Amino acid sequence: MTKEEIKELVNLFAEANISKIKIKEQDGFEIELERDMCCDVSAPVCPPAPQPINVSVVNEAQPSQNTKANKPCINSPMVGTFYQAPSPGATPFVKVGSTVKKGDVIAIIEAMKIMNEIEAEFDCRIAEVLVADGQPVEFGMPLFSVEKL
């Protein structure tokens, strides 16, 4: 193989999308070209575009329209995780039918590892608990449907 043929072979190898080539001639001449394809800077590899994922979200904690329209609610003052009791397995602060005074603790909302006590805004009776224990809540989301006293 001549120098010109070797140069041509090297150029073809550089342009081709192959990682290894080995040529043996009958006269005993042998040439082998190899490259690491993952580090080839001449051909940038783009990661595949992320595919969209369909997600169904069902918010079971939303109260019915009748509950909203007919009774006042105590709403969440922050974003976090709603808890009905001071610790797992403990009795809940309030139950349906409980009578509470303004300032009584009725739930806890955990936000950034801080337990925030939620107090009743006025004297009332709990008509319905609108959020399941351990569920995430948003700012302004109704937590309890109540009857003012």
Side-chain angles (χ1 to χ4, degrees):
M1 203 173 228
T2 66
K3 276 185 167 182
E4 295 305 316
E5 290 174 325
I6 293 173
K7 285 182 184 179
E8 188 177 332
L9 178 64
V10 169
N11 288 335
L12 286 172
F13 181 72
E15 292 173 6
N17 191 22
I18 57 174
S19 62
K20 186 175 183 178
I21 188 170
K22 187 174 187 177
I23 297 174
K24 287 185 185 181
E25 292 187 345
Q26 290 180 351
D27 63 357
F29 178 79
E30 189 176 308
I31 187 168
E32 185 174 341
L33 302 174
E34 185 174 356
R35 66 176 164 189
D36 188 2
M37 294 296 282
C38 71
C39 299
D40 185 14
V41 292
S42 66
V45 177
C46 296
Q51 297 297 317
I53 299 171
N54 292 330
V55 177
S56 269
V57 177
V58 177
N59 190 351
E60 296 174 357
Q62 292 296 323
S64 65
Q65 292 299 331
N66 282 343
T67 304
K68 269 189 178 178
N70 296 337
K71 297 185 177 152
C73 292
I74 296 177
N75 298 325
S76 175
M78 64 184 60
V79 173
T81 304
F82 175 82
Y83 295 107
Q84 293 179 342
S87 62
T91 58
F93 290 107
V94 294
K95 297 177 182 177
V96 173
S98 297
T99 302
V100 294
K101 301 265 187 220
K102 179 179 179 177
D104 286 351
V105 176
I106 57 174
I108 292 177
I109 295 181
E110 177 187 2
M112 297 184 66
K113 306 286 185 198
I114 297 173
M115 300 300 183
N116 301 282
E117 293 182 339
I118 307 305
E119 298 176 350
E121 300 163 4
F122 42 80
D123 293 351
C124 60
R125 179 175 295 114
I126 304 297
E128 187 178 357
V129 179
L130 303 173
V131 180
D133 194 48
Q135 292 299 306
V137 293
E138 297 291 327
F139 175 78
M141 182 176 173
L143 303 174
F144 299 94
S145 173
V146 296
E147 299 168 0
K148 286 187 177 183
L149 299 177

